Amino acid sequence: MAKPGHGYPQVVPRAEDLMHPRVVTVPPRWSVDRALARARAAGAVVAAHGTVAARTADLERAAAWGLGRLPWTDAASAGVPAVPPSADEIMVRRLLRGGPSMALVRERGRVVGAIEASPRPHGSLTSRLERPHGALGEARLWLLRTAGKLGEAQGHAAYATGGFVRDLLLGRTADHVPDIDLVIEGDGIAFGRRLAEETGGHLVVHGAFGTASLEGAATPDGTRVGRVDIAMARRERYARPGALPEVSPAGIDGDLGRRDFSVNAMAVALSPSAWGRLHDPFGGADDVAARRLRVLHPLSLVEDPTRIWRGARYAGRLGLCPEPGFKRALALALEVGEYPALSGQRLRAEHALVMNEAEPSRALVLLLEWGAFRLWDPSYRVTAPGRARLASARLFLRWARGAHIAVDGAELGLLALLFDQSRPVADRCVRRLTIASGMAARVDATAARALARRLVSVRPRRPSHVADVLRSAGDSLVLGAWLAGEGKARRHIEWFLREGRAGRPLLSGDEVMAAGVPRGPLVGQIIALLRDLRLDGRVRTIEDERAAVAEWMQGLAMKGDLG
Ligand code: ATP
């Protein structure tokens, strides 16, 4: 914010021309409430001490969430750079390019003003959007152009935002093509309806947030576009930490300001008159280039602690390094504690997304390192066996994906994370995540170990016996036994998942009846017996099976059991 009313234009403005002077110095030990009272009394926009500074708006937010007794420095940014009043603009802007959201102006040891990082000049992503072999593809490019034209015709600016823009800047292609997120400065649903008409897609409206998704859209030559999410540009207000937000309409910069990380807080304009223009009010493009994970304000992770899981996913997937502001925000979010307004369902959904990543272990290792699972239960502790268990889970997932075996990754992750916790902690985590009650028994490693032991001692060691044991155990206990067991037990389970589980005889039920077995429960029993013979390699051809059926029938007839 420029200081108003300064006389003659200078060739190069100085820090004292760029700063706003409404800064108050507050002792570091003061609480949020006390610092806020001082800031309000002084009409200050920023409270500062040394290299720590908080916006009054953030102190207000912390106080409204019941955090008024915390030290105010917890809600502040640390390591805020300082410049003398005479520093020229180029130097100040260069300092702010590295990520800090403001710089303090200090004169003879006293803070006399603050300079907010201002939006970067707009860059253009036109060449990336139109690059012929980019992730985008012709169909998506067509959709973006169509969206831009439709928006302009309706008098609303349309933008692509979020992961799409981030990945465009990263030049990511093959392994992950995110959905397209469109944001409209205006009625997103009306826009979505028009876009659905234009693209032959089907619009699904999600009432609560005024958002919609377009499924099945296609270009005029019939090429599918993939899923498109559409939303009105909106601001969000969180009444309580971890609660779902209240939303109100906003411009694109307001919309970007509600987002989780700077790398996700960029938009690219689609209207023909502004096609390709990058909106990047928080320096996301610089952070993408420097592979930095940065929150937009110190209370971001308190406002929505599920962002911790999101952050771990992006850090793991994209190799982003959390910068110090993220770590402070994380420490604050974990200190605040329990978040009654944060539902178990949301925590569960975030866990499932982590387990869905191509390499979930990267995110999991970060979450363990960060102490994130304290939000599942305050007594959750990371143990060496727990780490080893996660490493095993990673091996297992890799094996299962390689063998094209569908595994419930979320469940596997949960077992690996909870097996080595004490029983009360594991039970409380299950309750916190509002997981169906049967799960409480499944996260008990005792049963899994017992199953693994049983597998090793199955006698006689016929494949059909192994399959019997595992079939009756149920999917999660089987996953658990793999995690809890070792060499031989694991090999049995892998065989079961690969072949044993799906083993079927060649003869169908009808064919078994045609061979003379009367309709009724005996048909099922014979099918099961044939399956076991096949698993044990004792029948190979359909004739072998017919012969086995005939033999049984003969035996039963002799015993008079067919009567
Ligand atoms: P991915 O590649 O994982 O799909 P994405 O960035 O597209 O990444 P989405 O979950 O689809 O992720 O969210 C779209 C955008 O919405 C994000 O980029 C982010 O800007 C914003 N967003 C989503 N969830 C949150 C949240 N909990 N808090 C703030 N912003 C969020």
Side-chain angles (χ1 to χ4, degrees):
M1 200 186 295
K3 191 164 85 173
H6 99 87
Y8 296 104
Q10 292 173 298
V11 179
V12 181
R14 312 218 157 257
E16 61 190 337
D17 305 310
L18 301 167
M19 72 184 197
H20 61 68
R22 286 152 61 196
V23 179
V24 67
T25 302
V26 176
R29 296 240 171 79
W30 282 20
S31 67
V32 165
D33 282 340
R34 203 168 166 200
L36 180 58
R38 159 72 74 90
R40 278 178 176 153
V45 181
V46 169
H49 184 274
T51 59
V52 177
R55 292 192 175 80
T56 307
D58 283 336
L59 296 177
E60 271 162 359
R61 212 176 335 200
W65 290 341
L67 309 180
R69 295 169 72 169
L70 288 179
W72 74 271
T73 48
D74 281 2
S77 303
V80 178
V83 293
S86 58
D88 68 38
E89 183 180 19
I90 298 163
M91 174 190 165
V92 174
R93 298 282 168 232
R94 198 174 296 141
L95 259 182
L96 290 174
R97 263 190 89 92
S101 61
M102 65 173 117
L104 296 171
V105 182
R106 199 174 293 142
E107 188 172 31
R108 279 181 242 113
R110 220 169 58 81
V111 178
V112 294
I115 303 170
E116 304 265 358
S118 50
R120 313 294 190 270
H122 296 304
S124 170
L125 294 191
T126 309
S127 63
R128 285 182 189 260
L129 281 168
E130 295 175 357
R131 191 175 291 168
H133 303 295
L136 195 54
E138 287 300 311
R140 294 183 132 205
L141 181 57
W142 173 83
L143 182 110
L144 295 179
R145 285 196 191 281
T146 307
K149 280 184 217 148
L150 279 182
E152 201 156 271
Q154 289 184 331
H156 303 313
Y159 301 87
T161 62
F164 174 81
V165 181
R166 176 198 69 217
D167 285 1
L168 202 61
L169 281 168
L170 281 165
R172 280 166 68 80
T173 48
D175 51 344
H176 177 85
V177 180
D179 299 335
I180 296 182
D181 285 311
L182 296 182
V183 168
I184 313 303
E185 284 178 333
D187 184 343
I189 306 294
F191 168 86
R193 293 219 168 88
R194 271 295 290 126
L195 190 62
E197 280 167 21
E198 200 71 20
T199 60
H202 169 63
L203 194 74
V204 182
V205 177
H206 316 292
F209 293 106
T211 58
S213 355
L214 180 63
E215 317 256 358
T219 63
D221 69 9
T223 313
R224 292 280 165 152
V225 174
R227 186 184 148 117
V228 182
D229 289 324
I230 301 165
M232 152 192 90
R234 63 188 197 265
R235 229 177 264 289
E236 291 180 346
R237 202 184 77 81
Y238 289 75
R240 282 185 300 160
L244 290 173
E246 294 149 18
V247 305
S248 55
I252 188 65
D253 284 356
D255 185 282
L256 296 175
R258 73 177 168 84
R259 290 172 186 258
D260 46 5
F261 304 107
S262 60
V263 294
N264 284 344
M266 294 179 276
V268 58
L270 304 177
S271 311
S273 55
W275 171 253
R277 185 186 295 172
L278 176 68
H279 287 252
D280 179 17
F282 301 99
D286 287 344
D287 288 343
V288 164
R291 296 289 197 275
R292 242 180 338 237
L293 184 69
R294 195 154 58 80
V295 287
L296 303 192
H297 58 88
L299 292 162
S300 173
L301 303 182
V302 174
E303 184 170 84
D304 181 355
T306 65
R307 291 176 188 159
I308 299 171
W309 272 258
R310 294 179 63 81
R313 278 199 288 128
Y314 296 124
R317 189 199 305 161
L318 308 173
L320 305 182
C321 187
E323 55 81 62
F326 175 92
K327 294 203 174 141
R328 282 175 65 82
L330 176 68
L332 179 62
L334 295 178
E335 188 184 328
V336 165
E338 296 200 353
Y339 302 96
L342 172 62
S343 72
Q345 188 269 334
R346 289 190 68 209
L347 284 171
R348 240 175 28 237
E350 291 303 326
H351 169 69
L353 287 172
V354 164
M355 294 308 301
N356 249 347
E357 290 285 311
E359 286 288 351
S361 59
R362 293 197 200 143
L364 286 171
V365 164
L366 286 172
L367 288 166
L368 287 175
E369 196 179 288
W370 296 347
F373 296 104
R374 280 172 19 216
L375 294 189
W376 286 9
D377 183 75
S379 304
Y380 189 101
R381 291 288 173 270
V382 182
T383 61
R387 281 185 191 282
R389 191 87 59 199
L390 274 179
S392 297
R394 171 175 163 228
L395 285 181
F396 181 77
L397 260 191
R398 192 173 284 174
W399 168 81
R401 285 177 181 168
H404 303 289
I405 291 167
V407 165
D408 184 340
E411 179 132 357
L412 179 75
L414 209 60
L415 297 173
L417 287 165
L418 298 187
F419 262 10
D420 299 284
Q421 298 298 307
S422 71
R423 191 63 210 255
V425 170
D427 284 352
R428 285 199 300 269
C429 288
V430 167
R431 278 201 297 278
R432 178 67 182 95
L433 296 174
T434 54
I435 290 172
S437 54
M439 187 70 196
R442 302 205 291 271
V443 297
D444 180 5
T446 325
R449 271 192 220 108
L451 177 59
R453 273 198 304 272
R454 233 181 113 198
L455 279 178
V456 176
S457 61
V458 171
R459 296 212 192 282
R461 247 184 241 127
R462 288 225 183 105
S464 60
H465 295 148
V466 171
D468 250 2
V469 170
L470 290 172
R471 211 177 286 119
S472 56
D475 285 356
S476 34
L477 199 52
V478 172
L479 292 184
W482 192 96
L483 285 176
E486 286 176 6
K488 196 176 283 178
R490 289 183 173 182
R491 280 196 300 280
H492 280 325
I493 293 172
E494 287 162 17
W495 167 82
F496 174 70
L497 295 175
R498 220 176 30 235
E499 307 171 31
R501 186 168 55 172
R504 301 270 177 281
L506 297 173
L507 285 178
S508 68
D510 285 343
E511 285 166 324
V512 167
M513 286 189 283
V517 180
R519 181 182 295 277
L522 192 56
V523 177
Q525 287 164 22
I526 288 195
I527 292 276
L529 285 166
L530 287 175
R531 175 200 61 205
D532 288 353
L533 287 182
R534 173 158 291 284
L535 287 177
D536 296 340
R538 290 160 66 197
V539 294
R540 296 198 185 281
T541 64
I542 200 158
E543 282 70 35
D544 294 347
E545 291 189 4
R546 283 209 181 93
V549 174
E551 202 177 309
W552 281 324
M553 296 305 290
Q554 218 172 9
L556 291 174
M558 279 167 63
K559 281 200 271 166
D561 282 0
L562 285 175

